[in-house]
Amino acid sequence: MASIIKYFTDYYDWTLTFVDPRSKGWFLVDSPKPTFWLLVMYLTIVWIGPKIMRNRKPFKLNGLLVPYNLGMAYLNGFIFARLAESAIRLKYSIFCEPCRQISTPDEMQIVDAIWWYYFSKLLEFCDTFFFILRKKDNQLSFLHIYHHSTMFVFWWIGIKWVPSGSTAFPAIVNSGIHVLMYTYYGLSAIGPQMNKYLWWKKYLTIIQLLQFSGALVLGFNGLRIDCEFPLWMQYTLCGYMVSFLVLFGRFYVSAYIDDHKKRKQEKTLANNNLLSLKNQNIVSNGVDNAKKDE
């Protein structure tokens, strides 16, 4: 065990020789310990929270959920705008953009926005905490917990080692999608009177699946053209996108295709039962009328 720990310690010390100096000294960036312990705290709350809430009434948090979700939509809009603005001015290539450790204003704007994107993944832990407090345990799926915990860790790696270049594009797309997603959550938290305006939930999942598919294609293309970007990052991205496609794909099938079939079957069964009841009433009325005629 000691030799294994020493191996990983030595490996981490070696990786520190090529970290990006532009984010050095920034909040939560220099050491992995804060990210690690925050992740441990998150998983501990996920495990113990539902147990604590088991015999308690769910909290009604609408007064908190509306500003939280709309605030997260605003933050993601800010990140999207900052990243897109600088990427366009720098003429970033969507297919391959090396991470060059230069400190021009536009490059630093991208680094700064990537840090905010990483920090937003910490704030998103609140999504899970609100589910626990509202006793929405069915929302605490493996997909939800896997998504929140791994994104926080991977984007710490991003801000420490590769906070610009091709790293910017996944953040641009994902932050743009999160504007839509948190706007949806914020509006739905206002109350049931908003339901008629929220018909587009299904399309959020479709957009996310397209996002993962696009990122996977670009990742494989980066490997194909030997993009000047860390090779291990390219392989990690491809594997990570495959996991999301599988998990989100299963969610989409379960939530929309299987659920639609179930609702259709229930509707057909209800219609058949109603038709059967009407036929019974017709037969019954016919018998009653025959008896009256006698």
Side-chain angles (χ1 to χ4, degrees), residues 214-235:
L216 182 60
V217 169
L218 289 175
F220 278 127
N221 182 68
L223 293 172
R224 183 183 65 84
I225 65 175
D226 196 22
C227 179
E228 190 183 338
F229 200 79
L231 192 62
W232 65 272
M233 286 283 289
Q234 300 277 19
Y235 280 112

Side-chain angles (χ1 to χ4, degrees), residues 131-173:
F131 285 148
I132 293 171
L133 292 173
R134 296 163 64 210
K135 298 186 75 170
K136 301 282 187 180
D137 293 353
N138 61 311
Q139 302 282 358
L140 299 177
S141 62
F142 174 78
L143 169 58
H144 176 86
I145 296 166
Y146 171 78
H147 176 223
H148 280 65
S149 56
T150 54
M151 286 290 281
F152 182 52
V153 173
F154 281 141
W155 282 98
W156 174 77
I157 294 172
I159 185 60
K160 189 169 181 66
W161 275 276
V162 281
S164 64
S166 288
T167 302
F169 290 108
I172 290 173
V173 175

Side-chain angles (χ1 to χ4, degrees), residues 89-143:
R89 279 203 296 253
L90 291 168
K91 297 181 179 179
Y92 268 20
S93 168
I94 192 173
F95 300 106
C96 173
E97 187 63 43
C99 179
R100 308 194 189 282
Q101 297 180 0
I102 55 179
S103 300
T104 62
D106 278 321
E107 283 284 351
M108 290 307 298
Q109 180 168 305
I110 286 178
V111 177
D112 178 71
I114 293 294
W115 181 88
W116 276 106
Y117 184 73
Y118 154 70
F119 187 68
S120 75
K121 301 307 155 189
L122 174 61
L123 299 180
E124 286 176 15
F125 284 175
C126 293
D127 296 356
T128 307
F129 303 153
F130 292 147
F131 285 148
I132 293 171
L133 292 173
R134 296 163 64 210
K135 298 186 75 170
K136 301 282 187 180
D137 293 353
N138 61 311
Q139 302 282 358
L140 299 177
S141 62
F142 174 78
L143 169 58

Side-chain angles (χ1 to χ4, degrees), residues 179-212:
V179 172
L180 299 175
M181 187 182 77
Y182 279 108
T183 299
Y184 173 89
Y185 291 149
L187 294 175
S188 64
I190 293 174
Q193 67 270 26
M194 299 300 297
N195 288 347
K196 60 184 177 181
Y197 303 111
L198 301 176
W199 49 267
W200 40 280
K201 179 183 179 182
K202 171 182 178 179
Y203 299 100
L204 287 175
T205 306
I206 294 175
I207 292 171
Q208 286 176 310
L209 288 169
L210 291 174
Q211 170 197 194
F212 303 141

Side-chain angles (χ1 to χ4, degrees), residues 36 41 57 60 71 126 142 147 169 175 188 204 206 208 230 261 269 271 279 282:
F36 172 78
M41 178 202 73
K57 292 183 178 180
K60 294 182 179 180
C126 293
F142 174 78
H147 176 223
F169 290 108
S175 58
S188 64
L204 287 175
I206 294 175
Q208 286 176 310
K261 289 180 180 178
L269 181 60
N271 289 337
N279 290 335
I282 291 171

